[in-house]
Amino acid sequence: MAKSTPRKTRKSTIDTLRAVLAVHGQEHLLAFWDELDARQRDQLAEQIGQVDWELIAELIPTHVLAEPATKLPQEIQPPPILPYEPTDEAMRKRYAKARAAGEKLIGQGKVAAFVVAGGQGTRLGYDGPKGCLGVSPVQRKSLFALFAEQLLATHRRWGHAVPWYIMTSPANDKATRDYFKANRYFGLSKDDVMFFAQGTMPAIGTDGKLLLAEKDSLALSPNGHGGSLTALAASGALADMAQRGVETISYFQVDNPLVRCVDPLFIGLHHEAKAEMSAKALPKREPLEKLGNFCIVDGKTTVIEYSDMPEDLACATRPDGRLKFSAGSIAIHLFSRTFVERLTKGGRCSLPFHRAIKKVKHIDGAGKHIEPEQPNAVKLEMFVFDALPLAKKSVILETRRLEEFSPVKNATGADSLNTCLHDQVRRAAAWLTAAGHAVPRDAANEVACAIEISPLFALDAAELATRDLSGQVLEPGKPVYLGGE
Ligand code: UTP
């Protein structure tokens, strides 16, 4: 939201708007102008003024009136993936050196955490910013609270605060800021927590006409997690990072409480390889699992969406029977700050737009509210992983599902709060078991009590193993909380 608009919409402004809209065949957006008061006119004028009309004109014929043809490259190869654990002595040395380098960078304040929390969370249907959802198994701490505890623990362990950038959307920005204020930033210094709202894109009817949400406002939605890169630049966050001496940005999504917000090994491997953008990968559960596929296309590391990956490629195997394209993308990335600066130079970041046909509430030509039963409009979004092929160098590090991935996407079923609670308990149980502590299990070998380990008690299994657990007797059905101040 870059440009400012004068308080009163002057005649010249409305004339300019009319002229712009006429060029693009979108005059209907001013159909109710005469009914609006001054404040409403200002709002609508501001929204229309902020639309990138050149971009919209490019996208309507290619992404709204038609479906962009996905051109599959000729040559697609699997990329090299670094294993979760080193497999030989040389790799052990490399990992140890990288971990130490990562720890040093964190201790020097050269790493920032960056969570994208601007999504609409429509599948979950939670009333409020998704990060405020209570997800921890015993204390029902929110996603934001759990990330804050990780960052506090990271600060304590390596001696430097990790600046935390939180991307919101215009729709949830205030609620997010209010939530942090009400919770006193969960013990973090207020000066180390920065919020900014991402950009929006108008929803466009399948006839190519932009939709009005109300007589005085466009139907706008966030421009995708790929919009985070431009938003980092436009908000001043990148400049703030430069001033603080941040070199590496640790990117994660708000819906995954298992994510390691700042991982020294990953950071060290990225740094030592002089990579510009890196990613964590999971071995796919099955060939057609709905995760993006890491590939090498024209020599560049690329993520091909599951929906764009031909089935024969997704299912292709190596001579030993393992999947050829086994690595799925889970939206955990590292960016070098200078890479994001380069991509966003000049204000626009040249990531492609993806179309999604959705049900979008709007008003019709008579001003009547319409709640469509069928998808009626195209939403346009950028995806952050499309930046990967633009990086000169990337590292892909495998991680484990149990350790690091259980997103809350849906209200019920797979990837819901229910599955996420179970996964958090399973990880806590695995850490306790690795530390030699007895964990009760039921007949199906599932953990028989809720367990929550606060990041302030232990950030990982290795740290838990150093804790005194002698007073903790776990019993079936009795919730256990291992916390810290
Ligand atoms: P999802 O793709 O799961 O979308 O976002 P969503 O909006 O949260 O949920 P649905 O699809 O409406 O149900 C993955 C991550 O990217 C962020 C989300 O907040 C989440 O952390 N995101 C997504 C943004 O920050 N901005 C966007 O425009 C889209």
Side-chain angles (χ1 to χ4, degrees):
M1 296 273 157
K3 297 174 202 163
S4 66
T5 314
R7 289 280 323 137
K8 287 214 174 83
T9 314
R10 291 191 204 98
K11 185 159 185 320
S12 59
T13 312
I14 179 66
D15 288 346
T16 313
L17 288 179
R18 276 194 210 285
V20 171
L21 294 178
V23 170
H24 296 284
Q26 304 285 350
E27 300 96 317
H28 64 285
L29 297 177
L30 295 176
F32 304 100
W33 186 260
D34 293 341
E35 297 174 34
L36 305 182
D37 63 25
R39 191 196 52 77
Q40 291 173 311
R41 286 181 176 185
D42 280 353
Q43 171 173 296
L44 185 60
E46 182 168 352
Q47 289 183 353
I48 294 173
Q50 282 168 350
V51 171
D52 183 340
W53 288 104
E54 264 177 50
L55 177 65
I56 294 291
E58 272 170 38
L59 292 172
I60 287 178
T62 54
H63 287 65
V64 181
L65 302 178
E67 257 185 68
T70 37
K71 256 204 322 219
L72 214 61
Q74 297 282 312
E75 181 71 16
I76 304 179
Q77 290 299 328
I81 312 273
L82 290 173
Y84 181 67
E85 277 169 346
T87 49
D88 59 33
E89 197 43 37
M91 204 184 279
R92 222 177 310 283
K93 281 196 185 137
R94 178 180 173 192
Y95 276 36
K97 186 163 170 255
R99 184 174 281 110
E103 289 173 353
K104 189 165 168 205
L105 290 167
I106 298 168
Q108 291 173 330
K110 292 186 176 171
V111 179
F114 178 32
V115 65
V116 290
Q120 294 176 304
T122 38
R123 283 170 288 173
L124 183 64
Y126 172 67
D127 187 22
K130 208 193 250 190
C132 307
L133 178 74
V135 296
S136 74
V138 177
Q139 303 235 325
R140 281 295 190 275
K141 288 183 188 166
S142 68
L143 288 151
F144 282 137
L146 294 177
F147 301 142
E149 288 193 5
Q150 273 201 51
L151 296 178
L152 202 52
T154 305
H155 179 176
R156 288 182 187 161
R157 200 194 290 186
W158 288 293
H160 202 293
V162 180
W164 188 14
Y165 298 84
I166 299 175
M167 187 178 81
T168 62
S169 71
N172 70 18
D173 186 73
K174 182 171 181 313
T176 307
R177 289 173 195 254
D178 288 350
Y179 177 71
F180 273 79
K181 210 186 274 174
N183 288 283
R184 298 178 184 200
Y185 299 84
F186 303 98
L188 297 169
S189 162
K190 180 172 171 283
D191 297 339
D192 293 327
V193 186
M194 275 65 62
F195 303 88
F196 57 90
Q198 68 176 109
T200 55
M201 283 293 274
I204 307 177
T206 42
D207 58 355
K209 301 284 181 197
L210 271 64
L211 297 180
L212 282 171
E214 298 291 344
K215 291 179 177 174
D216 62 357
S217 57
L218 305 182
L220 297 170
S221 49
N223 60 1
H225 37 67
S228 61
L229 302 182
T230 347
L232 276 173
S235 64
L238 273 184
D240 185 70
M241 288 177 186
Q243 212 198 353
R244 288 172 187 256
V246 167
E247 290 173 3
T248 306
I249 306 168
S250 184
Y251 168 106
F252 55 98
Q253 301 192 331
V254 78
D255 51 24
N256 177 21
L258 293 187
V259 67
R260 186 76 194 262
C261 301
V262 175
D263 177 353
L265 172 64
F266 186 34
I267 292 164
L269 289 168
H270 168 88
H271 180 78
E272 304 265 295
K274 298 194 173 36
E276 288 192 313
M277 178 173 173
S278 293
K280 281 198 184 172
L282 271 190
K284 287 190 293 181
R285 265 192 183 133
E286 25 125 14
L288 301 180
E289 183 176 1
K290 291 183 174 176
L291 293 178
N293 294 272
F294 284 108
C295 303
I296 298 281
V297 173
D298 300 332
K300 300 278 180 195
T301 308
T302 304
V303 171
I304 301 188
E305 266 288 72
Y306 59 86
S307 47
D308 293 336
M309 187 85 169
E311 199 169 319
D312 56 332
L313 269 189
C315 299
T317 50
R318 302 166 201 255
D320 63 5
R322 286 181 304 134
L323 272 187
K324 190 169 175 196
F325 296 95
S326 59
S329 173
I330 49 170
I332 301 176
H333 297 293
L334 293 173
F335 293 94
S336 75
R337 174 179 49 81
T338 49
F339 173 58
V340 183
E341 285 169 355
R342 193 177 85 224
L343 285 194
T344 55
K345 217 171 180 175
R348 240 207 222 180
C349 178
S350 55
L351 298 186
F353 275 87
H354 299 254
R355 86 195 294 255
I357 299 245
K358 301 258 169 150
K359 290 187 250 177
V360 177
K361 289 187 216 162
H362 63 283
I363 57 167
D364 65 11
K368 198 172 133 227
H369 284 95
I370 307 288
E371 254 191 67
E373 280 169 15
Q374 297 301 326
N376 61 315
V378 172
K379 284 190 182 179
L380 295 160
E381 292 194 352
M382 289 176 278
F383 295 162
V384 76
F385 54 70
D386 282 329
L388 210 42
L390 306 175
K392 290 190 186 121
K393 192 129 200 262
S394 300
V395 165
I396 306 178
L397 175 64
E398 186 179 301
T399 185
R400 291 203 174 139
R401 208 176 285 265
L402 172 86
E403 278 292 325
E404 226 180 339
F405 189 61
S406 186
V408 182
K409 298 275 187 201
N410 303 309
T412 54
D415 294 339
S416 61
L417 178 57
N418 205 15
T419 55
C420 182
L421 289 168
H422 275 98
D423 290 340
Q424 291 174 77
V425 171
R426 272 189 209 120
R427 183 177 77 172
W431 288 8
L432 283 165
T433 308
H437 207 73
V439 173
R441 292 185 177 268
D442 63 17
N445 203 31
E446 283 296 334
V447 184
C449 59
I451 312 170
E452 177 174 340
I453 302 173
S454 159
L456 294 172
F457 189 80
L459 264 175
D460 51 30
E463 190 173 29
L464 186 72
T466 67
R467 295 278 184 242
D468 177 12
L469 298 167
S470 52
Q472 300 293 340
V473 181
L474 274 64
E475 292 169 25
K478 196 176 129 205
V480 177
Y481 175 65
L482 301 177
E485 285 303 303

